[in-house]
Amino acid sequence: MINCPKCSSEALVETPALGNIPLDVCPGCSGIWFDKGELEALLKQSPAGGSADFNLINPKAGSLACPRCKNKMSRGGLVNPLLLVDKCEACGGVWLDANELGLAKKLLGVSGGSSEVKVERPAAAPVEPPARDPKIVLIKTAAGVGALLGLAGVSFEMYLYFSPAASVPRAPSAGIAVASALLFAGGILVLNWGKEDRWS
Ligand SMILES: [Zn+2]
Ligand SMILES: [Zn+2]
């Protein structure tokens, strides 16, 4: 990963926007980094570029550091004195500002293709939710049903207990009440089991 020489916080994004030449483009300023040979390969597609000399014309010390090797790049004309670019004499890479690619193509008579390349910042890798084990889902579902049945059982026994004996179908059973309470408590316990994983 290499950072934009202009916007230090932006990482260049590789994009195959111009045919088969992968470009490193800054999502912030849309500047383009060409590794050695890449720009030449692109410009050679034009009649004027085929015979062009890719050494800088009137190179001067520039202010940008090469994103690859951190050497100070030189600023000078590329192919045409009007097309000022930053070139790293150490690794041969060339930096074009967003508007310079269009200018390069115009000067060389390259037609077609985009004159500007835009990229989006890559999205942060999505956090995968932990895969749910179907067995655990089954156990939790059973626990939920158990808890509901337990609650219903306890409620029914309470209803039997507090209602006048004549109006209810049978006498309340302490055994069923206790079993239902245990079922409810156990179900809730199982439902909560494993929850602490979420915080780790
Ligand atoms: Zn940038
Ligand atoms: Zn370099």
PDB file of all heavy atoms in Angstrom, residues 164-179:
ATOM      1  N   PRO A 164     -61.515 -19.615  43.527  1.00  0.00           N
ATOM      2  CA  PRO A 164     -62.334 -20.441  44.412  1.00  0.00           C
ATOM      3  C   PRO A 164     -62.360 -21.875  43.895  1.00  0.00           C
ATOM      4  O   PRO A 164     -62.440 -22.099  42.683  1.00  0.00           O
ATOM      5  CB  PRO A 164     -63.727 -19.794  44.310  1.00  0.00           C
ATOM      6  CG  PRO A 164     -63.500 -18.447  43.706  1.00  0.00           C
ATOM      7  CD  PRO A 164     -62.218 -18.493  42.951  1.00  0.00           C
ATOM      8  N   ALA A 165     -62.249 -22.832  44.789  1.00  0.00           N
ATOM      9  CA  ALA A 165     -62.101 -24.235  44.402  1.00  0.00           C
ATOM     10  C   ALA A 165     -63.227 -24.698  43.486  1.00  0.00           C
ATOM     11  O   ALA A 165     -62.997 -25.503  42.581  1.00  0.00           O
ATOM     12  CB  ALA A 165     -62.047 -25.107  45.655  1.00  0.00           C
ATOM     13  N   ALA A 166     -64.428 -24.150  43.676  1.00  0.00           N
ATOM     14  CA  ALA A 166     -65.568 -24.621  42.891  1.00  0.00           C
ATOM     15  C   ALA A 166     -65.476 -24.218  41.428  1.00  0.00           C
ATOM     16  O   ALA A 166     -66.043 -24.875  40.553  1.00  0.00           O
ATOM     17  CB  ALA A 166     -66.862 -24.072  43.500  1.00  0.00           C
ATOM     18  N   SER A 167     -64.774 -23.114  41.137  1.00  0.00           N
ATOM     19  CA  SER A 167     -64.782 -22.602  39.764  1.00  0.00           C
ATOM     20  C   SER A 167     -63.631 -23.134  38.908  1.00  0.00           C
ATOM     21  O   SER A 167     -63.493 -22.760  37.759  1.00  0.00           O
ATOM     22  CB  SER A 167     -64.740 -21.069  39.788  1.00  0.00           C
ATOM     23  OG  SER A 167     -63.483 -20.656  40.282  1.00  0.00           O
ATOM     24  N   VAL A 168     -62.750 -23.950  39.484  1.00  0.00           N
ATOM     25  CA  VAL A 168     -61.612 -24.446  38.695  1.00  0.00           C
ATOM     26  C   VAL A 168     -61.756 -25.933  38.450  1.00  0.00           C
ATOM     27  O   VAL A 168     -62.391 -26.646  39.248  1.00  0.00           O
ATOM     28  CB  VAL A 168     -60.277 -24.148  39.405  1.00  0.00           C
ATOM     29  CG1 VAL A 168     -60.031 -22.651  39.449  1.00  0.00           C
ATOM     30  CG2 VAL A 168     -60.236 -24.784  40.761  1.00  0.00           C
ATOM     31  N   PRO A 169     -61.183 -26.407  37.311  1.00  0.00           N
ATOM     32  CA  PRO A 169     -61.355 -27.821  36.947  1.00  0.00           C
ATOM     33  C   PRO A 169     -60.691 -28.784  37.930  1.00  0.00           C
ATOM     34  O   PRO A 169     -61.132 -29.911  38.081  1.00  0.00           O
ATOM     35  CB  PRO A 169     -60.721 -27.921  35.564  1.00  0.00           C
ATOM     36  CG  PRO A 169     -59.856 -26.709  35.426  1.00  0.00           C
ATOM     37  CD  PRO A 169     -60.469 -25.636  36.292  1.00  0.00           C
ATOM     38  N   ARG A 170     -59.537 -28.386  38.540  1.00  0.00           N
ATOM     39  CA  ARG A 170     -58.878 -29.323  39.454  1.00  0.00           C
ATOM     40  C   ARG A 170     -58.119 -28.543  40.521  1.00  0.00           C
ATOM     41  O   ARG A 170     -57.915 -27.328  40.381  1.00  0.00           O
ATOM     42  CB  ARG A 170     -57.952 -30.269  38.698  1.00  0.00           C
ATOM     43  CG  ARG A 170     -56.774 -29.557  38.037  1.00  0.00           C
ATOM     44  CD  ARG A 170     -55.751 -30.581  37.486  1.00  0.00           C
ATOM     45  NE  ARG A 170     -54.735 -29.903  36.676  1.00  0.00           N
ATOM     46  CZ  ARG A 170     -53.677 -29.286  37.196  1.00  0.00           C
ATOM     47  NH1 ARG A 170     -53.500 -29.221  38.510  1.00  0.00           N
ATOM     48  NH2 ARG A 170     -52.800 -28.711  36.398  1.00  0.00           N
ATOM     49  N   ALA A 171     -57.665 -29.224  41.515  1.00  0.00           N
ATOM     50  CA  ALA A 171     -56.908 -28.576  42.584  1.00  0.00           C
ATOM     51  C   ALA A 171     -55.508 -28.255  42.087  1.00  0.00           C
ATOM     52  O   ALA A 171     -54.973 -28.972  41.237  1.00  0.00           O
ATOM     53  CB  ALA A 171     -56.828 -29.496  43.790  1.00  0.00           C
ATOM     54  N   PRO A 172     -54.917 -27.151  42.590  1.00  0.00           N
ATOM     55  CA  PRO A 172     -53.543 -26.835  42.174  1.00  0.00           C
ATOM     56  C   PRO A 172     -52.572 -27.920  42.635  1.00  0.00           C
ATOM     57  O   PRO A 172     -52.773 -28.537  43.666  1.00  0.00           O
ATOM     58  CB  PRO A 172     -53.256 -25.502  42.868  1.00  0.00           C
ATOM     59  CG  PRO A 172     -54.219 -25.445  44.003  1.00  0.00           C
ATOM     60  CD  PRO A 172     -55.444 -26.199  43.568  1.00  0.00           C
ATOM     61  N   SER A 173     -51.547 -28.132  41.822  1.00  0.00           N
ATOM     62  CA  SER A 173     -50.557 -29.155  42.164  1.00  0.00           C
ATOM     63  C   SER A 173     -49.218 -28.487  42.424  1.00  0.00           C
ATOM     64  O   SER A 173     -48.672 -27.801  41.548  1.00  0.00           O
ATOM     65  CB  SER A 173     -50.442 -30.164  41.014  1.00  0.00           C
ATOM     66  OG  SER A 173     -49.145 -30.738  41.005  1.00  0.00           O
ATOM     67  N   ALA A 174     -48.718 -28.679  43.620  1.00  0.00           N
ATOM     68  CA  ALA A 174     -47.418 -28.089  43.956  1.00  0.00           C
ATOM     69  C   ALA A 174     -46.326 -28.671  43.059  1.00  0.00           C
ATOM     70  O   ALA A 174     -45.419 -27.982  42.623  1.00  0.00           O
ATOM     71  CB  ALA A 174     -47.084 -28.351  45.420  1.00  0.00           C
ATOM     72  N   GLY A 175     -46.474 -29.955  42.749  1.00  0.00           N
ATOM     73  CA  GLY A 175     -45.462 -30.608  41.906  1.00  0.00           C
ATOM     74  C   GLY A 175     -45.378 -29.960  40.527  1.00  0.00           C
ATOM     75  O   GLY A 175     -44.286 -29.615  40.044  1.00  0.00           O
ATOM     76  N   ILE A 176     -46.544 -29.740  39.898  1.00  0.00           N
ATOM     77  CA  ILE A 176     -46.552 -29.126  38.556  1.00  0.00           C
ATOM     78  C   ILE A 176     -46.028 -27.690  38.654  1.00  0.00           C
ATOM     79  O   ILE A 176     -45.275 -27.234  37.790  1.00  0.00           O
ATOM     80  CB  ILE A 176     -47.975 -29.154  37.956  1.00  0.00           C
ATOM     81  CG1 ILE A 176     -48.354 -30.624  37.668  1.00  0.00           C
ATOM     82  CG2 ILE A 176     -48.047 -28.320  36.677  1.00  0.00           C
ATOM     83  CD1 ILE A 176     -49.757 -30.784  37.121  1.00  0.00           C
ATOM     84  N   ALA A 177     -46.399 -26.984  39.720  1.00  0.00           N
ATOM     85  CA  ALA A 177     -45.940 -25.594  39.888  1.00  0.00           C
ATOM     86  C   ALA A 177     -44.418 -25.546  39.970  1.00  0.00           C
ATOM     87  O   ALA A 177     -43.770 -24.731  39.304  1.00  0.00           O
ATOM     88  CB  ALA A 177     -46.556 -24.984  41.142  1.00  0.00           C
ATOM     89  N   VAL A 178     -43.846 -26.441  40.778  1.00  0.00           N
ATOM     90  CA  VAL A 178     -42.379 -26.442  40.931  1.00  0.00           C
ATOM     91  C   VAL A 178     -41.713 -26.830  39.619  1.00  0.00           C
ATOM     92  O   VAL A 178     -40.748 -26.201  39.173  1.00  0.00           O
ATOM     93  CB  VAL A 178     -41.965 -27.409  42.068  1.00  0.00           C
ATOM     94  CG1 VAL A 178     -40.456 -27.639  42.050  1.00  0.00           C
ATOM     95  CG2 VAL A 178     -42.403 -26.842  43.420  1.00  0.00           C
ATOM     96  N   ALA A 179     -42.258 -27.855  38.960  1.00  0.00           N
ATOM     97  CA  ALA A 179     -41.677 -28.306  37.686  1.00  0.00           C
ATOM     98  C   ALA A 179     -41.736 -27.171  36.661  1.00  0.00           C
ATOM     99  O   ALA A 179     -40.768 -26.924  35.922  1.00  0.00           O
ATOM    100  CB  ALA A 179     -42.426 -29.529  37.180  1.00  0.00           C
TER     101      ALA A 179
END
